[in-house]
């Protein structure tokens, strides 16, 4: 897996996500201010920083769950605007996994994974089932396919959520602190699944406090504070010699 030198960014022609001068406000509170970020196809970006720094808001803007107030976002060559008539065309290409699993409790595990490919991609039931079983196998939970979400542990449900997102065959996967709601013993199984996905070449933007995971899979670590990107570097540089006092303080609090 390639590593980018500190401060380097992928060439614009290779960028599947481009964020320029992004601003997002909630009332009088500015959640994001002048944020610039590009993500190359196949690149793995880890967003880290203190709570309230704007990490989750940034990836929610990339998926157009939140509409930005200034600047621009381009995803897979399509600019996101307030006037987008087909925002679902972008969401089809961008998978997202949240802190909460958001599975439909009345559907079996395999049915949870089949629903969107049938409704949105137009797959037949047989095609959707074949794809779902294959991806449940990939996340090592195919033996639970006929159970319901309430019968699974939190870690198992989060792996189902990852498989469900992959069933849409997205070009980009966004993760918003996917392990933060899990018991400690369940974190590893989810992180292992994400590591395998990264090694398969998926473009990933991950908000996480799991710094061991960041060291292992990230091409770049992007550190945010107070709605801005404070610094970004390859993992070795960021963890060994962060360039700002804010990043040093943050790492000092979470790495012992």
């Amino acid at each position: 897996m390639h590593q980018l030198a500190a401060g380097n960014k992928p060439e614009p022609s290779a960028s599947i996500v481009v964020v320029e001068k992004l601003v997002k406000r909630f009332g009088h509170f500015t959640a994001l201010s002048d944020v610039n970020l590009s993500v190359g196809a196949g690149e793995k970006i880890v967003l880290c920083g203190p709570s309230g720094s704007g990490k989750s808001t940034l990836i929610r803007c990339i998926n157009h769950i939140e509409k930005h107030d200034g600047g621009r976002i381009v995803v897979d060559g399509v600019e996101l605007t307030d006037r987008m008539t087909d925002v679902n065309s972008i969401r089809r290409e961008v998978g997202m996994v949240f802190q909460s699993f958001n599975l439909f409790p009345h559907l079996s595990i395999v049915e949870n994974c089949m629903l969107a490919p049938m409704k949105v991609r137009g797959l037949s039931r047989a095609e959707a089932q074949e794809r779902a079983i294959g991806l449940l196998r990939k996340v090592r939970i195919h033996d639970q396919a006929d159970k319901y979400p309430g019968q699974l542990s939190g870690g198992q449900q989060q792996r189902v959520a990852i498989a469900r997102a992959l069933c849409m065959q997205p070009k980009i996967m966004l993760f918003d602190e996917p392990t933060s709601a899990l018991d400690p013993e369940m974190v590893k199984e989810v992180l292992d699944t994400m590591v395998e996905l990264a090694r398969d070449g998926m473009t990933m933007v991950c908000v996480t406090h799991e710094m061991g995971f960041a060291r292992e899979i990230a091409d770049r670590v992007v550190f945010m504070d107070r709605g801005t990107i404070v610094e970004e570097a390859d993992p070795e540089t960021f963890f060994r010699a962060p360039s700002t006092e804010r990043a040093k303080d943050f790492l000092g609090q979470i790495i012992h």
Side-chain angles (χ1 to χ4, degrees):
M1 188 167 58
H2 73 283
Q3 293 286 335
L4 294 177
N8 284 2
K9 294 183 179 182
E11 292 298 319
S13 60
S15 295
I16 196 166
V17 177
V18 178
V19 176
E20 295 179 347
K21 299 184 181 300
L22 189 68
V23 176
K24 173 62 185 176
R25 302 184 189 92
F26 295 100
H28 296 295
F29 174 69
T30 300
L32 295 173
S33 177
D34 197 29
V35 170
N36 297 279
L37 180 70
S38 64
V39 182
E43 196 176 11
K44 290 82 181 157
I45 304 293
V46 167
L47 302 178
C48 65
S51 296
S53 59
K55 310 179 298 296
S56 295
T57 301
L58 174 55
I59 64 170
R60 289 171 70 88
C61 286
I62 291 172
N63 204 29
H64 212 55
I65 294 172
E66 300 286 357
K67 295 180 180 179
H68 53 289
D69 297 300
R72 62 195 294 260
I73 303 173
V74 180
V75 178
D76 195 25
V78 178
E79 182 163 357
L80 308 189
T81 69
D82 284 343
R83 298 178 183 85
M84 284 190 74
T85 55
D86 189 13
V87 68
N88 288 329
S89 66
I90 288 298
R91 292 190 182 143
R92 280 195 289 268
E93 309 303 332
V94 181
M96 188 153 180
V97 178
F98 300 87
Q99 297 176 33
S100 54
F101 322 123
N102 297 325
L103 300 175
F104 293 110
H106 63 289
L107 296 179
S108 70
I109 296 308
V110 70
E111 288 170 337
N112 264 277
C113 294
M114 292 166 59
L115 187 62
M118 292 170 62
K119 296 284 188 183
V120 180
R121 295 285 196 196
L123 268 63
S124 70
R125 185 171 184 84
E127 290 171 329
Q129 185 171 20
E130 181 180 3
R131 182 182 295 181
I133 292 296
L135 286 163
L136 288 169
R137 181 172 286 108
K138 182 178 179 64
V139 302
R140 298 182 296 281
I141 204 164
H142 58 284
D143 56 334
Q144 310 289 330
D146 294 326
K147 291 187 177 179
Y148 289 83
Q151 296 176 282
L152 273 56
S153 70
Q156 289 174 320
Q157 289 188 61
Q158 193 63 293
R159 281 188 283 156
V160 172
I162 293 171
R164 180 179 61 178
L166 292 174
C167 279
M168 288 292 287
Q169 297 186 326
K171 295 179 179 179
I172 309 159
M173 284 287 287
L174 307 177
F175 294 89
D176 186 7
E177 298 194 37
T179 61
S180 65
L182 300 178
D183 292 333
E185 64 269 20
M186 297 177 186
V187 169
K188 184 178 184 300
E189 64 186 70
V190 173
L191 291 179
D192 285 348
T193 298
M194 293 171 64
V195 167
E196 187 175 335
L197 188 60
R199 288 175 176 163
D200 286 345
M202 174 62 74
T203 305
M204 298 168 64
V205 182
C206 309
V207 175
T208 183
H209 291 297
E210 301 289 344
M211 294 297 100
F213 170 78
R215 283 179 186 269
E216 184 169 359
I217 72 103
D219 295 308
R220 262 186 298 153
V221 178
V222 176
F223 175 71
M224 297 185 67
D225 189 29
R226 299 181 183 180
T228 64
I229 292 176
V230 177
E231 68 175 282
E232 53 184 293
D234 65 276
E236 182 181 355
T237 301
F238 180 75
F239 290 108
R240 178 176 49 80
S243 62
T244 63
E245 288 301 318
R246 278 187 278 178
K248 289 175 186 176
D249 290 344
F250 173 76
L251 290 172
Q253 292 172 12
I254 66 172
I255 298 177
H256 303 288

